[in-house]
Amino acid sequence: ATTEYAVCTGDDIDLYKVDLTAGDKLDLTMRFPSNNIADMTLFKPSQSDAISKLSTGDAFTFEFQKSEEPLSYVAKECGTHYVLVFSADGTSAGNYSLESTLGKAACQDMDAFASTCNHGQSTAQLVSPDTSYDALTVCPENEDWFKRAGSGGLTLLGELTASQGDIADLSF
């Protein structure tokens, strides 16, 4: 979908939100009638408290003397992501169009923990001792987090990633 927008003044910002699941691919293309007047930064859910023109976010574009700025992003977290559009030099204003395409990840992490999106330390899922968890999925470029209650009120955190080889080769 392509929509027309405007940066009205040098200190104007436009903020968009999009819900993504870890592994989703978001392609954004910002176009200008002439050379670029704006830049954009994408913030993942864990960065929602830091959204500003001065923050780099998780992905960004800063092009010079171009009529188009593309941004391709693969979500690392589940939840609401934010795209901030702002004047490229702090003084420019003008019109732009924003085209977006959302693609689902090639690897779909649709295991027993998918609804809770256990892709970060804060969303680690509690696993019980002496319990078997079958058909779990971890996708390349993502991670799954688990936790287990230990003795003395301690919690053990574990991160599972796949960087090479086949996840089917993994056993506990």
Side-chain angles (χ1 to χ4, degrees):
T2 303
T3 309
E4 299 292 322
Y5 300 102
V7 173
C8 299
T9 64
D11 60 354
D12 184 22
I13 62 168
D14 292 341
L15 185 64
Y16 307 97
K17 66 180 186 176
V18 59
D19 289 324
L20 300 174
T21 299
D24 285 351
K25 183 178 182 203
L26 178 64
D27 289 310
L28 298 169
T29 303
M30 197 164 40
R31 292 187 177 87
F32 314 98
S34 59
N35 288 338
N36 69 315
I37 52 99
D39 290 318
M40 65 179 152
T41 302
L42 186 141
F43 296 87
K44 59 188 176 184
S46 62
Q47 297 172 318
S48 64
D49 291 340
I51 297 172
S52 82
K53 295 189 289 185
L54 302 175
S55 298
T56 56
D58 202 37
F60 52 87
T61 64
F62 295 105
E63 297 286 341
F64 298 101
Q65 306 300 316
K66 303 251 178 147
S67 60
E68 182 174 292
E69 285 195 27
L71 178 85
S72 186
Y73 178 75
V74 176
K76 298 172 187 79
E77 297 177 6
C78 298
T80 303
H81 291 65
Y82 297 89
V83 177
L84 179 69
V85 176
F86 54 95
S87 173
D89 61 8
T91 61
S92 296
N95 296 325
Y96 68 94
S97 65
L98 186 61
E99 179 182 341
S100 63
T101 305
L102 178 61
K104 290 296 178 186
C107 175
Q108 294 291 311
D109 188 353
M110 299 306 293
D111 61 25
F113 298 104
S115 65
T116 56
C117 197
N118 62 321
H119 301 298
Q121 199 172 15
S122 64
T123 55
Q125 292 302 295
L126 184 64
V127 292
S128 301
D130 303 321
T131 302
S132 177
Y133 297 91
D134 297 322
L136 296 179
T137 304
V138 63
C139 295
E141 308 301 323
N142 275 333
E143 54 195 38
D144 281 353
W145 282 81
F146 301 95
K147 62 185 175 182
R148 182 171 165 209
S151 61
L154 297 176
T155 301
L156 173 68
L157 282 172
E159 172 189 14
L160 181 62
T161 62
S163 59
Q164 59 181 322
D166 189 332
I167 192 66
D169 297 334
L170 180 66
S171 63
F172 291 90

